[in-house]
Amino acid sequence: MPSKISVIGAGNVGATSAQRIAERGYADVVLVDIIEGLPQGKALDILQSAPVINFKTAITGSNDYKDTAGSEVVIVTAGLFRKPGMTRDQLLAANTEIVTGVINNAVKYSPECIILMVSNPLDAMTYLAVKASKFPRKRVVGLSGVLDSARLSTFIAAELNVPVADISAWVLGAHGLNMVVIPQLSAVRGKPLTGLLPEETIARLVERTIHGGREIVDLLKTGSAFYAPSAGIARMAESIVLDKKEILPCAALLDGEYGIKDSVIGVPVKLGKGGIEQIVEFELSAEEKQRLYDSAEGIKTLIKQMGV
Ligand code: APR
């Protein structure tokens, strides 16, 4: 029997994720939204691409959480997105309410699922999901570093005119202005970036990565990014459902790792059937560790505001 993945929120990020997952063919997909007809219409449209693309998995839309029952992974994209001039953190109050409701409904029907958080502000929403679900922390993970690292890789590839496949980049920390880019860990065919580009160029690419989401919000004006986010979501979901155990930079609740407790930030995690099967501790310099610590402290401020 194929695996089952539910995607909550049938907007840009949710529907594109559902499409990517359905096309890969490793899981049946249920798309849920509060707007009547929206998930049903989008799911039907995606399903009608199956004869052309040639995938066999089922995709359905619903306004009822009953249809999500028994999901292995529940992906939460429900909520507001930011408009030009807004930071992700300004979505906190509205999305806290939406995400709390979504999590309560989702875990009622899929008590054994892995929750993949996407709604922003991502790290705070991931923390909220752990608390609201009462799941062990290994079963709640958030999309952050896969997306931010993909953005950095894209910029490095363009700068050096090399294939993106040759690049490995690691962006850790908060999914926001306090993200932690570690150039020493970014490499082209194993050669650290620090030896390939001048410091000012690296600084410019890092800066563009930090504001990568805002650049797209400013261009779109009526929406935020969804193609690269959905690619990251599909990669993470696949690693979980197919038990690939990929090591990816993801948001996780920390309990002493990297010297951080009771906060969520992006760290390297091993993602498999059990969710976060391991938090991998890279060797970092004292200065890099301090930046991660400060990033996690910033998230604690948001957590306090949520009052969970
Ligand atoms: N339950 C289910 N769906 C909901 C709920 C809810 N309580 N509240 C809102 N939604 C749905 C909306 O109806 C909408 O279809 O969530 C969807 C959000 O889609 P978009 O507005 O297109 O936003 P999107 O770009 O997909 O971003 C969603 O992901 O990347 C983050 O910052 C982004 O927080 C935002 C989220």
Side-chain angles (χ1 to χ4, degrees), residues 78-157:
L80 305 189
F81 61 84
R82 60 189 166 142
K83 314 272 178 329
M86 280 176 87
T87 65
R88 293 185 181 96
D89 293 355
Q90 287 170 318
L91 301 168
L92 187 74
N95 284 351
T96 297
E97 199 181 326
I98 292 171
V99 166
T100 305
V102 167
I103 296 294
N104 288 338
N105 278 309
V107 304
K108 187 169 154 199
Y109 291 102
S110 301
E112 302 302 325
C113 74
I114 310 294
I115 298 173
L116 200 174
M117 290 303 301
V118 183
S119 311
N120 274 311
L122 186 276
D123 305 279
M125 292 299 113
T126 303
Y127 186 92
L128 173 64
V130 178
K131 296 297 161 186
S133 64
K134 301 191 177 66
F135 280 5
R137 65 185 177 124
K138 62 185 281 211
R139 283 181 34 220
V140 183
V141 64
L143 167 79
S144 54
V146 176
L147 170 61
D148 298 322
S149 305
R151 285 181 172 146
L152 178 58
S153 295
T154 307
F155 302 146
I156 295 170

Side-chain angles (χ1 to χ4, degrees), residues 20-129:
R20 288 193 191 278
I21 292 166
E23 287 181 357
R24 296 280 293 161
Y26 56 83
D28 289 341
V29 181
V30 180
L31 189 56
V32 174
D33 203 283
I34 37 166
I35 300 176
E36 274 183 37
L38 183 74
Q40 292 88 345
K42 290 194 176 180
L44 186 59
D45 195 8
I46 295 168
L47 184 67
Q48 289 168 0
S49 69
V52 185
I53 308 275
N54 194 18
F55 64 83
K56 294 181 185 64
T57 40
I59 172 157
T60 50
S62 177
N63 306 111
D64 189 339
Y65 282 86
K66 272 192 194 127
D67 295 318
T68 67
S71 297
E72 272 178 51
V73 178
V74 174
I75 300 167
V76 179
T77 77
L80 305 189
F81 61 84
R82 60 189 166 142
K83 314 272 178 329
M86 280 176 87
T87 65
R88 293 185 181 96
D89 293 355
Q90 287 170 318
L91 301 168
L92 187 74
N95 284 351
T96 297
E97 199 181 326
I98 292 171
V99 166
T100 305
V102 167
I103 296 294
N104 288 338
N105 278 309
V107 304
K108 187 169 154 199
Y109 291 102
S110 301
E112 302 302 325
C113 74
I114 310 294
I115 298 173
L116 200 174
M117 290 303 301
V118 183
S119 311
N120 274 311
L122 186 276
D123 305 279
M125 292 299 113
T126 303
Y127 186 92
L128 173 64

Side-chain angles (χ1 to χ4, degrees), residues 16-17 20 143 146 226-236:
T16 317
S17 302
R20 288 193 191 278
L143 167 79
V146 176
F226 55 99
Y227 291 114
S230 60
I233 292 164
R235 171 96 176 258
M236 289 170 69

Side-chain angles (χ1 to χ4, degrees), residues 167-180:
I167 297 169
S168 63
W170 288 90
V171 178
L172 308 177
H175 183 52
L177 299 177
N178 291 331
M179 71 180 67
V180 178

